[in-house]
């Protein structure tokens, strides 16, 4: 069987739901053998096309109701596709809901058995795995208590333990990392890495882009039932992050309400006040204007300004980097750096040889300050937002230039001068 | 088959494609089209294999269902008997005492005949009706399971039919035990007369056959109802009315004999179209050892009844199973 390199193959998948306004219409449709159509079609999923190699994992991201769960349902064979086709090569286990198929009145132990046979295993197979499942779930004495008494986290542990213990070739998980404590999440992640090592294929859906970046090789971003981006997990999550334009637009509008936008330079401002004429982003040292950059890129920001009366009103320029969630990522200013702007007008360039920002979309407010950097003469925005994509999986707002030394030979502080164990008092 | 591309990025954590990975068997393509009739028909012989592969699911579901039903109840395992005994009591009082539907010309030894006749009827009827009605609801009731887990849904109706047959067998077992005990009591001189002149004997060997055909019949009908219920929730409302009506046109509490109910003869041919009449007839032949003769006067022969019912059962099963399989893939969207 050499040659089957794919665990999951989906070709142009689509899923349509039929909506009937009333049961009567359904009866009419059935009675006329479909000649009189009584339903409306709603495509929950369309044109989903991907192949997932064995031993790799794919993450699904997207907003609520985008079709992620529908896709997982179609893939796990719970519902049939309405168009296209799919193929799963190997035994599948899906964990679409915590405790699906759990019987609340029965003990955890009985539920392991019931859940296992539900997935098509024999009691003997499940008995053989029982110990492993109980160990992994770490429920202690609760394993013999009714599942009714479990917390949702405990239900998750049990469900996950069962799903992975049956050792499927393909594992399909829907948002299970959302619950569970850090310790258990770590165990799950370890197990998933172990899965990948053994050539298993994993598909999972998560709102945590971090999880997707860390665990997945590939990702698919589902938007309104279509795959908006597909491919390398880093690329897709970057795309998805930058997409949150909707939120950004809201943020810019809110900011605009307070601050006239850069496009409105000179509008309604008294001529005698300093103002920003324009501001743009270029690749460092070139005339290539760009707003889509990667972490570590060399860029420059050019600000054209006017100051009618430099003698009376010396000015400073401040440039900020504001992420879409309004976190101020960074802010620099000529007054902070002790620079001085000369003349009635000019073009000031902020050079950034190595952009440290990580993935995200950033608004760049430009502020003209007074001498002390307190009063703001004019505030505006760089007309376009800066879209930054990360090349690494580093987390957070900024990339910290770093290195590791794995063989540090420094003793634990406090132990260096007086080795504690040699003190008789400490021994007692 | 796509060749392995050298340019494909290999995840560092996966350690690369390992040579020790067990080869995959390519799975079947899942396509949107409903399987055609020929394809469905080809799946029919696969059912025993499906059931066998999931035998533990069936087994544990049946045990769980039985246990859940009686766990925490005072009477526990006696509950399967309570319903038929209670029904029997009510109907015996109405039909035998008030309406005097009784078998004439029976020996003093056979006095409880009408009661025993009714009891067998009510136990078997309950086994059938409960199975059908619960099977009809089982898909919709387990909607959450169907939407979240991938498993052969045809096993759900099978489970409840098996449960109802099992509870029915409790009734049958106790019935046989009581008859045997009373006969043993008579032989030992403890009682003057036994409840019944003859103990059920070798005829009991037919019971497995009866169970299988009854299973096919009940399961087939249950599959049809369960499928319809998914798409139209009126189904089971209607079905419960129809099943009640069905009970009254089936000789559960009355004897389809001119000697017991004068004036019934013109209808007998029509009544014999009812497969359940044949099923009850079979069970009574087996459990009542054709005594008293009057209960079997004018009734079809055992093998005739068995043949008729088995045919109905087989047809209903095939139709029901195909109908169910055809719509099965849409259940998760509708429940």
């Amino acid at each position: 069987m050499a040659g089957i390199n794919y665990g999951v193959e989906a070709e142009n998948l689509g899923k349509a739901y039929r909506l009937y306004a009333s049961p009567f219409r359904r009866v009419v449709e059935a009675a006329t053998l479909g000649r009189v159509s009584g339903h409306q079609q709603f495509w929950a999923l369309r044109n989903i096309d991907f192949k997932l190699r064995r031993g790799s994992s794919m993450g699904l991201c997207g907003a609520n109701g985008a079709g992620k769960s529908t896709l997982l349902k179609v893939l796990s064979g719970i519902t049939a596709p309405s168009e296209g086709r799919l193929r799963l090569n190997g035994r599948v286990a899906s964990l679409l809901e915590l405790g699906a198929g759990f019987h609340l009145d029965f003990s955890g132990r009985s539920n392991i058995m019931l859940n296992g046979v539900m997935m098509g295993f024999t009691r003997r197979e499940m008995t053989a795995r029982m110990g492993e499942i109980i160990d992994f779930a770490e429920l202690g004495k609760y394993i013999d208590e009714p599942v009714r008494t479990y917390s949702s986290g405990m239900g998750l542990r049990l469900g996950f333990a069962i799903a992975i213990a049956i050792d499927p070739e393909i594992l399909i998980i829907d948002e299970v990392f959302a619950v569970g404590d850090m310790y258990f999440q770590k165990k799950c992640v370890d197990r998933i890495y172990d899965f990948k090592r053994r050539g298993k294929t994993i598909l999972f859906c998560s709102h945590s882009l971090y999880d997707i970046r860390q665990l997945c090789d590939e990702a698919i971003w589902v938007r309104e039932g279509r795959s908006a981006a597909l491919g390398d997990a880093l690329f897709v999550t970057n795309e998805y992050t930058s997409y949150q334009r909707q939120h950004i637009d809201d943020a810019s509008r809110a900011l605009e309400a307070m601050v006239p936008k850069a496009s409105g330079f000179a509008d309604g401002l008294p001529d005698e006040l300093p103002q920003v004429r324009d501001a743009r982003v270029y690749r460092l040292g070139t005339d290539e204007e760009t707003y889509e950059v990667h972490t570590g890129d060399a860029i420059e920001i050019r600000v054209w300004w006017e100051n009618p009366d430099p003698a009376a009103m010396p000015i400073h320029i401040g440039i900020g980097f504001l992420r879409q969630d309004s976190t101020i990522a960074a802010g620099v200013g000529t007054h902070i750096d002790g620079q001085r702007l000369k003349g009635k007008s000019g073009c000031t360039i902020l050079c950034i040889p190595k952009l440290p920002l990580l993935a995200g979309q950033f608004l760049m407010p430009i502020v003209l300050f007074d001498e002390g950097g307190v009063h703001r003469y004019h505030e505006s925005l760089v007309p376009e937002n800066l879209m930054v994509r990360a090349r690494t999986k580093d987390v957070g707002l900024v990339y910290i230039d770093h290195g590791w030394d794995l063989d540090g030979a420094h003793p634990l502080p406090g132990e260096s001068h007086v080795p504690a164990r040699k003190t008789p008092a400490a021994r007692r | 088959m796509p060749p392995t591309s050298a340019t494909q990025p290999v995840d560092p954590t996966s350690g690369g494609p390992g040579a020790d990975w067990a080869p995959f068997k390519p799975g079947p393509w899942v396509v949107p089209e409903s399987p055609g009739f020929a394809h469905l028909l080809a799946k029919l012989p696969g059912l025993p294999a499906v059931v066998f592969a999931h035998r533990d699911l069936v087994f544990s579901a049946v045990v769980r269902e039985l246990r859940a039903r009686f766990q925490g109840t005072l009477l526990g395992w006696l509950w399967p008997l309570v319903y038929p005994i209670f029904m029997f009591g009510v109907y015996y009082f109405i039909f035998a005492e008030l309406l005097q539907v009784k078998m004439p010309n029976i020996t003093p030894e056979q006095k409880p005949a009408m009661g025993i006749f009714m009891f067998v009827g009510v136990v078997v009827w309950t086994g059938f009706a409960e199975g059908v009605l619960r099977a009809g609801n089982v898909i919709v009731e387990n909607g959450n399971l169907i939407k979240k887990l991938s498993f052969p849904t045809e096993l759900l109706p099978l489970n409840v039919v098996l449960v109802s047959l099992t509870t029915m067998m409790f009734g049958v077992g106790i019935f046989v035990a009581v008859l045997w005990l009373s006969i043993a009591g008579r032989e030992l001189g403890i009682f003057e007369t036994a409840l019944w002149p003859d103990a059920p004997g070798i005829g009991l060997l037919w019971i497995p056959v009866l169970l299988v055909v009854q299973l096919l019949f009940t399961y087939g009908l249950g599959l049809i109802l369960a499928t319809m219920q998914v798409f139209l929730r009126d189904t089971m409302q209607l079905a419960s009315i129809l099943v009640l009506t069905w009970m009254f046109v089936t000789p559960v509490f009355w004897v389809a004999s001119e000697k017991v109910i004068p004036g019934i003869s013109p209808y007998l041919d029509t009544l014999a179209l009812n497969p359940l009449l044949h099923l009850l007839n079979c069970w009574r032949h087996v459990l009542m050892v054709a005594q008293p003769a009057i209960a079997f006067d004018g009734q079809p022969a055992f093998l005739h009844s068995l043949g008729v019912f088995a045919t109905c059962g087989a047809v209903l099963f095939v139709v029901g199973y195909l109908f169910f399989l055809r719509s099965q893939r849409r259940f998760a969207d509708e429940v």
Side-chain angles (χ1 to χ4, degrees), chain B residues 274-298:
Chain B
N274 174 6
L276 263 294
L277 177 142
H278 294 283
L279 178 70
L280 290 193
N281 190 33
C282 287
W283 276 104
R284 284 177 175 139
H285 269 285
V286 166
L287 293 178
M288 296 168 66
V289 210
Q291 289 275 356
I294 185 117
F296 298 95
D297 187 55

Side-chain angles (χ1 to χ4, degrees), chain B residues 67-92:
Chain B
R67 198 182 287 160
R69 201 186 286 187
F70 310 119
Q71 207 168 37
T73 59
L74 194 61
L75 293 181
W77 291 98
L78 291 175
W79 271 112
L81 287 178
V82 172
Y83 181 75
I85 288 176
F86 185 77
M87 291 298 286
F88 162 72
V90 171
Y91 287 109
Y92 184 79

Side-chain angles (χ1 to χ4, degrees), chain A residues 165-380:
Chain A
I166 63 176
D167 204 29
E169 269 111 29
I170 300 164
L171 182 63
I172 296 177
I173 317 176
D174 192 357
E175 310 244 13
V176 294
F177 297 109
V179 219
D181 51 32
M182 296 303 264
Y183 167 73
F184 192 72
Q185 285 188 9
K186 163 77 177 133
K187 272 178 86 167
C188 296
V189 168
D190 285 349
R191 190 53 78 97
I192 284 179
Y193 277 133
D194 181 47
F195 251 65
K196 288 170 62 175
R197 241 190 313 278
R198 288 186 294 134
K200 316 278 178 172
T201 309
I202 303 165
L203 264 153
F204 82 90
C205 155
S206 179
H207 281 295
S208 160
L209 299 182
Y210 174 79
D211 282 341
I212 292 181
R213 261 181 234 137
Q214 296 300 312
L215 289 175
C216 300
D217 315 308
E218 287 175 49
I220 179 165
W221 162 26
V222 185
R223 191 178 75 211
E224 285 159 18
R226 271 44 168 202
S227 79
L230 171 74
D232 176 65
L234 215 52
F235 163 74
V236 173
T237 49
N238 278 338
E239 285 290 312
Y240 180 52
T241 312
S242 357
Y243 163 72
Q244 319 210 305
R245 202 179 278 276
Q246 194 57 45
H247 302 164
I248 299 202
D249 283 350
D250 294 345
S252 352
R253 267 193 290 278
L255 211 67
E256 248 176 85
M258 298 182 288
V259 181
K261 212 177 170 178
S263 57
F265 301 121
D267 278 0
L269 284 171
D271 283 346
E272 60 271 21
L273 280 180
Q275 52 182 282
V276 176
R277 298 289 304 274
D278 202 354
R280 283 159 196 259
V281 179
Y282 297 84
R283 298 220 171 266
L284 188 65
T286 69
D287 276 336
E288 183 194 346
E289 193 173 346
T290 180
Y291 295 92
E292 297 194 8
V293 298
H294 283 92
T295 305
D297 280 3
I299 58 166
E300 59 182 52
I301 301 168
R302 297 180 193 166
V303 181
W304 290 269
W305 50 270
E306 239 174 29
N307 185 6
D309 193 357
M313 291 184 283
I315 55 163
H316 287 292
I317 291 180
I319 300 178
F321 297 86
L322 198 64
R323 205 173 59 173
Q324 63 242 28
D325 57 2
S326 299
T327 308
I328 299 172
V332 295
T334 49
H335 54 296
I336 302 172
D337 296 324
Q339 302 290 329
R340 204 166 261 285
L341 273 63
K342 295 186 186 89
K344 287 199 167 188
S345 68
C347 170
T348 302
I349 303 171
L350 170 68
C351 299
I352 306 171
K354 212 172 168 187
L355 184 72
L357 295 172
L358 287 173
Q361 208 174 66
F362 295 87
L363 288 87
M364 290 176 291
I366 313 261
V367 185
L368 294 185
F369 290 104
D370 69 355
E371 206 168 14
V374 178
H375 179 72
R376 303 163 177 213
Y377 291 120
H378 183 203
E379 291 182 65
S380 64

